[in-house]
Amino acid sequence: RIGLDVSAETCRRAHVATSLPLVAADGTYLPFPDRAFDAVTAWGSIEHLTRPVEALGEAYRVLRPGGRLILFVPNALGPMFRLFRLVDPPRHVYHFTERTLRRALGRAGFPPEGVSRWPAAGENLTGLVHAFKGFARRFSEEARVEADSGRRGRAFWLMALHRLVQLVGYAAHPLDGCLVALGLGDSLVVTARR
């Protein structure tokens, strides 16, 4: 096993915490020989790259014949992805759907028939709670500013809104299973074989 991150400092910290070997490198140029690995995983990473197809091509290159790629990306058609965009700063260079992810994998050499999609149970809830925490944090910060400015009535209502939004986020748990059952999972977990 070996880990990879573009940041040397992140690799150093991860190595200290896990004792696993890590390499600082760009995903579009993997410093490993051809056919060196039985499996390559990329979890929440290729959507941040400016050249994701090249990174997938590198994964293909370093896999042995029959080796497996396991890939996780947010589903751009999922409801939580759309909600995140309201509270999260833009961090993704590419927004993948099942179709565009299959196309990228095909362009990198992975056979399309070797790709399957699984909605990741739990991601909807995690995403929803995270999104509502972001909304709640905004209201809480605004309430603090209003209270510091002497506008206590406005601060009260902002804090009430803060609490309500928090409750809605946590009350959404039963929706998680329903969204996944309807095929609206917010995660694309894909396996492909070389």
Side-chain angles (χ1 to χ4, degrees):
R1 281 191 269 171
I2 190 162
L4 182 126
D5 192 272
V6 72
S7 164
E9 178 59 20
T10 299
C11 288
R12 187 192 66 73
R13 287 181 184 183
H15 177 71
V16 168
T18 65
S19 299
L20 293 173
L22 288 115
V23 172
D26 185 321
T28 58
Y29 176 75
L30 299 176
F32 308 113
D34 294 356
R35 301 176 178 184
F37 297 100
D38 292 319
V40 171
T41 62
W43 220 252
S45 57
I46 69 162
E47 66 273 15
H48 299 279
L49 302 177
T50 56
R51 298 187 319 264
V53 173
E54 286 182 36
L56 291 170
E58 278 292 278
Y60 185 87
R61 179 185 66 78
V62 300
L63 278 172
R64 293 185 179 113
R68 193 177 285 253
L69 171 72
I70 303 170
L71 183 67
F72 167 94
V73 297
N75 179 4
L77 296 179
M80 292 309 101
F81 182 87
R82 293 172 190 198
L83 186 58
F84 268 139
R85 294 176 73 184
L86 298 175
V87 296
D88 234 4
R91 296 178 289 161
H92 299 160
V93 178
Y94 283 91
H95 301 149
F96 288 99
T97 64
E98 182 180 353
R99 194 177 113 225
T100 59
L101 185 56
R102 284 178 183 268
R103 188 179 312 142
L105 287 162
R107 287 179 56 201
F110 290 100
E113 63 274 7
V115 178
S116 60
R117 178 186 183 275
W118 301 309
E123 289 301 319
N124 295 308
L125 173 63
T126 303
L128 186 62
V129 169
H130 178 74
F132 275 97
K133 279 183 179 179
F135 282 129
R137 192 170 36 254
R138 275 188 183 177
F139 292 132
S140 176
E141 290 166 3
E142 287 179 30
R144 191 183 73 245
V145 169
E146 294 296 324
D148 290 347
S149 300
R151 294 185 288 268
R152 300 217 182 273
R154 187 165 163 80
F156 170 81
W157 287 111
L158 283 167
M159 280 308 291
L161 196 53
H162 160 79
R163 297 282 185 230
L164 177 65
V165 169
Q166 272 188 324
L167 285 172
V168 170
Y170 289 111
H173 180 69
L175 293 176
D176 182 46
C178 296
L179 290 172
V180 171
L182 292 170
L184 298 174
D186 283 296
S187 305
L188 297 173
V189 180
V190 178
T191 62
R193 200 179 282 277
R194 178 179 175 168

